[in-house]
Amino acid sequence: MADLEVYKNLSPEKVERCMSVMQSGTQMIKLKRGAKGLVRLFYLDEHRTRLRWRPSRKSEKAKILIDSIYKVTEGRQSEIFHRQAEGNFDPSCCFTIYHGNHMESLDLITSNPEEARTWITGLKYLMAGISDEDSLAKRQRTHDQWLKHTFEEADKNGDGLLNIEETHQLMHKLNVNLPRRKVRQMFQEADTDENQGTLTFEEFCVFYKMMSLRRDLYLLLLSYSDKKDHLTAEELAQFLKVEQKMNNVTTDYCLDIIRKFEVSEENKAKNVLGIEGFTSFMRSPACDVFNPLHHEVFQDMEQPLCNYYIASSHNTYLTGDQLLSQSRADMYARVLQEGCRCVEVDCWDGPDGEPVVHHGYTLTSKILFRDVVETINKHAFVKNEFPVILSIENHCSVQQQRKIAQYLKAIFRDKLDLSSVDTGDSKQLPSPQSLRGKILVKGKKLPYHLGDDAEEGDVSDEDSADEIEDECKFRLHCNNGTTEHQVESFIRKKLESLLKESQIRDKEDPDSFTVRALLKATHEGLNAHLTQHPDVKESGKKSHGRSLMTNFGKYKQKTTKSRSKSYGTDDEEDAQQPPSKEPSPLSRLGRRRKTMKLCRELSDLVVYTNSVAAQDIMDDGSTGNVLSFSETRAHQVVQQKAEQFMVYNQKQLTRVYPSAYRIDSSNFNPLPYWSTGCQLVALNYQSEGRMMQLNRAKFKTNGNCGYVLKPQQMCKGTFNPFSGDPLPANPKKQLVLKVISGQQLPKPPDSMFGDRGEIIDPFVEVEIIGLPVDCCKDQTRVVDDNGFNPMWEETLTFTVHMPEIALVRFLVWDHDPIGRDFVGQRTVTFSSLVPGYRHVYLEGLTEASIFVHITINDICGKSRQLQGLKGLFHKNPRLAASDSNPHSMRKRSLGDRILRRTASAPAKGRKKSKTGFHEMVEIKESVCEPAREPDGVLRRTARSLQARPVSMPVGRTLLGAWPPAPAVAEAAEGKESPPVQF
């Protein structure tokens, strides 16, 4: 970060003085929301990697990793400080640490300004050092930290030594199932000092290396070293060329690898790489599954904006749910630095003529529009200079609209000036390259027929904040005596009644992701919120400005007899339509007829990104329109007009945002919208889970700059993404993936017994996510009682028709008698996979990885996989139509669902033929008609274990309804709800 640069060059004396004070500890007041400050001793641990405090009920969990700190602010800047009475604390004694994925704040007050300055300086120095690291240095540091923390946690009595019993307990925690005799033997070999019977940290490192000796890597080294225990530079070059498919490998390059990774000075002198050095090299970023060249921008950035997927955020300011969570300007800083390039700002009239940002008709907190713009201006181009789109949802009066325009011009200045941008063609959008350093305001424009002299005019009023139909809103009239607690109690009661009423609608399919599921999640979230924040129940606290809480209403069932809800009064023509006649999706999407006043100053700031209503989709072809859809409406268009939608997206931008019923801030599946060329698929960045993992993987490629080039087939011409063979003239890719082994796989994060639980029985599942014809998954057998170094040595094969948009998802599961528990995942774009022997590090886990060998082949003609899909796409259209209707599914018993879940994990005793380490399994392409389970989901049929057929789809993804995965598995995997079925 730019503001950390000055801290990199602090004098050694000043650094050591700060570190000494911080490690000794300082008593500070920790502010908490709605409670009195708590006096705690805060200190930096001896490794300078964690901030800790005591006393704490959290015990070992009372810590903040320096790596997780986003920023440190001086003074009384945070929301919690603002809630305190003015003058209570000296601002020079106050500072705030923002950390974690959800920008949690730790608000601290020292006894004097000097202590605050020491901590701010020390923390920023540590953050600056981390920001300057390359990937290799970071991996080494995190590995060293992991080893040290593992040792300290195993040292139960805190004497700095591990005895044999503590070591046995550590083996169980690390999921190592070795005979006690073997552990004792390695223990004695590592115990070389005079203090026999215990291991120091240095001896523990030796013990850990012995325990971690990789049989798979040792055999690999022997095969390229003529059965010696080391590789020469020439042998290493041969390995890199043959196995890793690297070009231009020179002797100097190999000698540099030896210098970097070899630990033995004797081997370094001989210019050879031993097993420890080879292991370090193979576990380094150079041998990661993700192409290191894709960490930088490598795609053509000179094409029109509509040719790119653009990383987009929904309700960017929110830190949690859509009803009660806090709004923070810092969320814009976080998502922008994560690579997001389109952020949303919901603007409402605020007090004293100052527009505010919050989620309308809810109890989310408000922040000043000015603060939001200043934050965006500061952080928009720190990581990259490609353009940022500011999606303005305008609910303000004309007077405050003018204030919005003034702030935009005064703060962004020349970043808004697009007069010099060269589009090359008046009928095409400019490129990301030509817009570097620019901010595009997405909003309404005054109609051209008004003329340039009109100061204001009427424009249509459609926006995501007011997406819920008028007939589906609460009517809560707050008076001056209403408290927040009363409002929240009212919401909770409404949700309870909604839950009961919606049970009738959802009776046919209890597992479907409908309004009931969303409301249930929100109901649980409200209870959790009120439990965690008891201060909101204070009866004496008045609710200021809560009169907007008039929307979120009673959900009314939509039957075939009731006409679709409209957004305005111009709906007579719709009411006159015969019930049997289904209106086209595009005409149905354009019924909003509300209007609002828009001022000229704000209108003039909108260039290239003019928000238009759905009825204007078939306009005269003018450039620069952005069509916004909620996921509900976009789903209809994707299903019924996929090819036309793709053609539209070749010239204009489309934004898809989550349904307003996702009040728990869950996310929809972005794949169907990417598959039809939608550029701005907006997700709730504050909600972790499967969908955000897919989004993160999608945009990590191309330097994580927020712009990823769409496949050329989507930019010109058209095809049906739902077809059984969408691109018959194009060669397909075959992914041959050998899953070899796993390393340091932890127990599931929600394991019932924590570290004391049983040693895991892991298996690996690999999922291809892309066009419907490509969506499939396969899995290895289960390895019993070994999470430390399980060996699978199994080959999975997949055929991919459009690799440009496909994602490859690696998942590790722990098998148990009634199903499986999620251990970890890593998702990578197909185009970023690199061939050869690669480690797949699981996201968010320090040491956990799986070791694979990747081969990618070009294949032409129809594959056997495609023939197997024929029945799914063409054989029985009636069956497909009925499957798309969730109400056609029969209700499943609990026993059925348990059986489904159990069937999804491979049997523990399943025997598989294992091939030699360097042999690839010969794939026998045997296919059979897909078997359909009672729930309508396609599963692979039983097959020979000696010959694995090419992969078959397991679901009806992108066909009709989007079927949910098993609920328990999805919940365990990322706490993510399944996608909506309409």
Side-chain angles (χ1 to χ4, degrees):
M1 298 180 189
D3 58 339
L4 295 178
E5 290 295 324
V6 294
Y7 291 91
K8 293 178 182 178
N9 301 315
L10 292 177
S11 67
E13 297 80 16
K14 188 168 186 177
V15 169
E16 286 308 312
R17 187 165 61 250
C18 289
M19 296 299 112
S20 175
V21 169
M22 294 165 70
Q23 288 179 320
S24 299
T26 304
Q27 278 201 332
M28 293 186 256
I29 298 174
K30 174 186 175 186
L31 285 188
K32 291 184 69 176
R33 191 184 308 277
K36 293 182 179 179
L38 305 174
V39 178
R40 296 289 182 263
L41 179 70
F42 288 84
Y43 62 97
L44 185 68
D45 73 349
E46 60 176 308
H47 314 298
R48 302 179 180 180
T49 60
R50 303 183 185 207
L51 171 63
R52 311 195 70 134
W53 59 92
R54 61 175 185 260
S56 173
R57 287 178 297 178
K58 295 181 180 178
S59 186
E60 282 299 308
K61 294 183 178 179
K63 59 193 175 189
I64 295 174
L65 291 174
I66 301 298
D67 280 23
S68 73
I69 296 178
Y70 170 71
K71 74 172 182 176
V72 179
T73 60
E74 306 175 37
R76 300 162 40 91
Q77 296 189 40
S78 75
E79 182 181 356
I80 291 180
F81 272 123
H82 287 163
R83 288 190 174 204
Q84 300 294 325
E86 289 294 335
N88 281 358
F89 309 111
D90 180 356
S92 62
C93 296
C94 304
F95 66 99
T96 300
I97 299 170
Y98 292 97
H99 62 98
N101 290 333
H102 295 284
M103 294 283 288
E104 298 99 327
S105 67
L106 177 62
D107 301 274
L108 301 172
I109 306 163
T110 60
S111 58
N112 60 71
E114 185 179 349
E115 287 179 339
R117 171 50 49 193
T118 297
W119 275 86
I120 292 167
T121 302
L123 289 171
K124 289 191 174 184
Y125 170 79
L126 293 172
M127 293 167 63
I130 291 171
S131 69
D132 225 17
E133 284 181 335
D134 61 22
S135 56
L136 178 59
K138 183 172 183 178
R139 172 150 296 287
Q140 187 60 49
R141 178 175 57 81
T142 54
H143 173 73
D144 294 344
Q145 289 174 7
W146 181 85
L147 266 181
K148 190 66 177 176
H149 293 310
T150 299
F151 177 82
E152 289 174 346
E153 289 181 2
D155 179 17
K156 300 299 182 184
N157 59 9
D159 62 356
L161 300 169
L162 292 188
N163 58 37
I164 187 65
E165 190 53 41
E166 289 172 329
T167 305
H168 282 305
Q169 292 176 13
L170 176 61
M171 296 297 96
H172 187 84
K173 179 181 177 181
L174 294 177
N175 286 306
V176 182
N177 188 16
L178 286 176
R180 294 177 75 91
R181 175 183 52 79
K182 179 67 174 174
V183 174
R184 181 172 291 277
Q185 178 186 339
M186 291 191 296
F187 185 96
Q188 290 171 347
E189 289 181 28
D191 187 10
T192 56
D193 64 4
E194 66 279 359
N195 189 9
Q196 292 293 299
T198 57
L199 299 180
T200 63
F201 175 67
E202 290 72 23
E203 290 173 331
F204 169 72
C205 290
V206 174
F207 171 83
Y208 183 79
K209 284 180 181 177
M210 286 192 287
M211 185 179 68
S212 304
L213 182 64
R214 295 271 299 275
R215 169 181 168 270
D216 49 2
L217 292 180
Y218 188 63
L219 291 175
L220 188 57
L221 180 144
L222 290 178
S223 68
Y224 274 88
S225 65
D226 197 20
K227 300 189 178 176
K228 304 188 300 293
D229 63 354
H230 61 262
L231 290 169
T232 65
E234 293 73 20
E235 291 165 342
L236 177 58
Q238 183 70 1
F239 167 75
L240 296 177
K241 291 174 186 175
V242 174
E243 295 292 353
Q244 308 300 82
K245 307 300 180 188
M246 293 176 63
N247 299 318
N248 304 319
V249 178
T250 64
T251 302
D252 286 343
Y253 178 76
C254 295
L255 290 174
D256 187 52
I257 290 175
I258 293 170
R259 281 192 294 270
K260 278 184 180 178
F261 296 98
E262 180 53 52
V263 294
S264 164
E265 292 300 326
E266 182 181 350
N267 282 349
K268 280 185 180 179
K270 295 178 182 178
N271 287 328
V272 297
L273 191 65
I275 183 58
E276 282 189 49
F278 183 64
T279 301
S280 296
F281 170 66
M282 292 301 294
R283 286 183 65 82
S284 75
C287 294
D288 189 80
V289 70
F290 185 86
N291 190 335
L293 298 178
H294 291 189
H295 287 299
E296 305 295 331
V297 175
F298 70 95
Q299 295 180 341
D300 176 14
M301 304 303 287
E302 299 278 5
Q303 297 188 31
L305 280 179
C306 52
N307 286 7
Y308 296 86
Y309 298 113
I310 304 172
S312 305
S313 167
H314 172 250
N315 287 353
T316 312
Y317 47 88
L318 289 182
T319 58
D321 65 74
Q322 309 280 312
L323 279 180
L324 298 168
S325 68
Q326 298 299 311
S327 304
R328 286 186 183 164
D330 287 321
M331 290 300 292
Y332 289 91
R334 193 199 112 192
V335 302
L336 286 167
Q337 297 208 43
E338 281 183 19
C340 181
R341 295 286 92 184
C342 178
V343 295
E344 184 176 17
V345 187
D346 286 335
C347 305
W348 299 81
D349 282 350
D352 304 321
E354 289 291 332
V356 294
V357 174
H358 76 120
H359 195 206
Y361 312 115
T362 71
L363 294 176
T364 57
S365 62
K366 299 171 182 173
I367 50 179
L368 291 175
F369 176 80
R370 180 185 66 245
D371 292 345
V372 168
V373 178
E374 287 175 346
T375 302
I376 294 171
N377 185 57
K378 184 177 180 182
H379 296 276
F381 304 112
V382 171
K383 292 292 181 74
N384 76 79
E385 293 187 355
F386 290 108
V388 170
I389 300 173
L390 203 63
S391 183
I392 300 284
E393 301 293 349
N394 177 16
H395 308 272
C396 293
S397 62
V398 170
Q399 292 76 13
Q400 295 209 15
Q401 286 178 34
R402 293 195 175 101
K403 201 70 172 284
I404 288 174
Q406 290 169 16
Y407 282 134
L408 292 174
K409 288 186 283 189
I411 295 170
F412 289 146
R413 301 195 178 192
D414 59 345
K415 295 184 182 75
L416 292 177
D417 182 11
L418 305 180
S419 58
S420 60
V421 174
D422 179 19
T423 63
D425 182 349
S426 60
K427 290 189 177 180
Q428 93 176 8
L429 291 166
S431 69
Q433 183 67 30
S434 66
L435 290 167
R436 287 172 74 97
K438 299 297 184 182
I439 291 178
L440 303 179
V441 177
K442 172 188 164 293
K444 290 290 180 183
K445 281 192 75 69
L446 290 174
Y448 292 109
H449 64 75
L450 287 179
D452 295 338
D453 56 342
E455 292 297 318
E456 59 186 59
D458 290 335
V459 293
S460 64
D461 175 25
E462 86 279 356
D463 53 75
S464 59
D466 193 21
E467 172 196 349
I468 297 182
E469 293 90 338
D470 284 337
E471 296 177 39
C472 297
K473 294 178 181 178
F474 287 162
R475 296 297 173 189
L476 174 61
H477 302 288
C478 298
N479 54 44
N480 292 333
T482 306
T483 65
E484 285 190 19
H485 176 47
Q486 290 170 326
V487 173
E488 290 175 11
S489 296
F490 178 84
I491 296 172
R492 186 160 49 177
K493 289 176 182 175
K494 276 290 184 182
L495 288 176
E496 286 173 354
S497 65
L498 282 167
L499 199 60
K500 292 177 183 176
E501 290 179 20
S502 61
Q503 284 176 351
I504 301 170
R505 179 177 187 270
D506 299 325
K507 190 174 181 180
E508 295 297 313
D509 185 15
D511 287 335
S512 68
F513 187 47
T514 58
V515 175
R516 175 178 176 237
L518 285 165
L519 293 174
K520 184 177 180 181
T522 303
H523 176 59
E524 293 168 353
L526 279 168
N527 283 327
H529 178 91
L530 294 174
T531 301
Q532 294 171 9
H533 304 289
D535 57 299
V536 300
K537 296 184 180 181
E538 294 176 9
S539 58
K541 188 173 182 179
K542 301 293 182 182
S543 174
H544 298 292
R546 301 303 188 188
S547 57
L548 288 174
M549 187 57 213
T550 56
N551 287 357
F552 284 126
K554 184 176 180 181
Y555 182 81
K556 293 192 175 183
Q557 296 181 40
K558 297 180 182 179
T559 64
T560 54
K561 294 181 180 180
S562 65
R563 61 183 175 82
S564 299
K565 308 296 185 292
S566 69
Y567 288 88
T569 56
D570 275 0
D571 53 10
E572 289 79 12
E573 62 183 26
D574 181 55
Q576 293 169 4
Q577 280 192 335
S580 60
K581 184 178 180 181
E582 182 68 20
S584 73
L586 297 184
S587 66
R588 190 192 304 118
L589 299 177
R591 293 181 190 148
R592 188 186 295 263
R593 294 293 184 268
K594 285 186 177 179
T595 60
M596 63 172 291
K597 291 289 184 184
L598 176 67
C599 74
R600 170 66 63 184
E601 293 95 321
L602 192 53
S603 171
D604 287 347
L605 296 180
V606 177
V607 184
Y608 301 124
T609 47
N610 175 28
S611 293
V612 295
Q615 64 263 26
D616 299 328
I617 191 171
M618 306 302 290
D619 64 359
D620 59 1
S622 58
T623 304
N625 293 330
V626 182
L627 185 63
S628 288
F629 286 108
S630 76
E631 63 175 286
T632 313
R633 301 172 195 144
H635 178 84
Q636 296 170 339
V637 177
V638 165
Q639 279 198 318
Q640 301 177 31
K641 299 283 184 180
E643 292 185 67
Q644 295 93 318
F645 201 24
M646 191 180 297
V647 171
Y648 176 83
N649 289 327
Q650 291 171 3
K651 295 182 180 179
Q652 307 286 8
L653 298 176
T654 297
R655 180 173 180 266
V656 180
Y657 52 85
S659 163
Y661 290 113
R662 291 186 181 274
I663 39 188
D664 59 343
S665 289
S666 60
N667 282 312
F668 58 83
N669 186 352
L671 260 295
Y673 311 112
W674 287 337
S675 296
T676 48
C678 296
Q679 300 87 354
L680 301 160
V681 181
L683 298 182
N684 290 301
Y685 270 56
Q686 74 272 29
S687 296
E688 191 50 64
R690 174 183 171 93
M691 303 314 168
M692 267 307 297
Q693 289 161 0
L694 301 184
N695 191 74
R696 196 156 48 235
K698 175 83 170 177
F699 289 102
K700 186 176 180 182
T701 192
N702 203 31
N704 198 34
C705 73
Y707 287 83
V708 172
L709 196 59
K710 296 198 300 191
Q712 278 306 107
Q713 300 94 325
M714 287 188 180
C715 299
K716 292 181 180 179
T718 186
F719 65 93
N720 183 359
F722 301 95
S723 167
D725 191 6
L727 299 162
N730 289 29
K732 304 164 186 61
K733 295 287 185 182
Q734 183 189 57
L735 172 63
V736 182
L737 183 70
K738 184 166 188 178
V739 182
I740 300 168
S741 62
Q743 296 77 42
Q744 284 109 307
L745 303 177
K747 290 178 171 61
D750 51 358
S751 176
M752 185 179 299
F753 299 104
D755 294 334
R756 295 178 291 108
E758 292 183 353
I759 293 174
I760 65 172
D761 307 320
F763 68 95
V764 176
E765 181 177 74
V766 179
E767 183 179 4
I768 305 296
I769 305 165
L771 292 185
V773 70
D774 292 335
C775 290
C776 54
K777 62 176 72 172
D778 204 352
Q779 58 201 16
T780 68
R781 63 186 173 88
V782 173
V783 172
D784 294 341
D785 296 331
N786 189 350
F788 188 76
N789 55 359
M791 295 290 294
W792 292 286
E793 292 194 15
E794 294 192 45
T795 301
L796 315 178
T797 305
F798 304 92
T799 300
V800 182
H801 293 69
M802 181 173 272
E804 295 90 344
I805 66 166
L807 301 170
V808 183
R809 187 167 171 84
F810 301 86
L811 302 107
V812 177
W813 300 92
D814 173 24
H815 179 274
D816 66 44
I818 61 167
R820 56 186 186 175
D821 292 315
F822 175 72
V823 175
Q825 69 84 35
R826 173 84 177 275
T827 308
V828 183
T829 56
F830 188 100
S831 58
S832 292
L833 293 177
V834 275
Y837 288 98
R838 303 289 168 182
H839 279 92
V840 182
Y841 282 92
L842 303 184
E843 194 174 274
L845 299 175
T846 306
E847 292 292 298
S849 64
I850 51 179
F851 187 47
V852 301
H853 183 274
I854 294 172
T855 305
I856 299 175
N857 302 316
D858 287 328
I859 56 175
C860 297
K862 288 195 175 183
S863 66
R864 299 285 181 92
Q865 178 184 3
L866 185 58
Q867 293 170 11
L869 283 171
K870 222 172 183 180
L872 175 61
F873 285 92
H874 305 296
K875 190 171 184 179
N876 192 343
R878 290 185 181 179
L879 180 62
S882 65
D883 285 342
S884 67
N885 180 5
H887 299 286
S888 68
M889 300 181 190
R890 69 176 179 85
K891 184 175 181 178
R892 294 188 297 278
S893 68
L894 178 62
D896 287 338
R897 276 176 273 163
I898 290 176
L899 286 173
R900 275 186 63 209
R901 185 169 176 238
T902 308
S904 68
K908 292 176 78 170
R910 171 175 143 189
K911 299 294 183 184
K912 282 212 162 198
S913 63
K914 291 191 179 181
T915 60
F917 189 71
H918 296 291
E919 298 174 46
M920 302 306 287
V921 173
E922 181 179 352
I923 305 303
K924 187 176 180 181
E925 296 186 348
S926 60
V927 296
C928 55
E929 188 68 12
R932 190 176 296 275
E933 291 189 357
D935 62 354
V937 176
L938 288 173
R939 305 285 180 196
R940 293 175 188 263
T941 55
R943 62 190 180 192
S944 165
L945 298 179
Q946 282 71 35
R948 184 183 295 275
V950 288
S951 305
M952 295 289 294
V954 297
R956 288 173 287 114
T957 310
L958 277 170
L959 284 175
W962 289 74
V968 180
E970 286 292 345
E973 180 180 336
K975 313 299 180 192
E976 184 75 45
S977 302
V980 175
Q981 293 194 10
F982 300 101

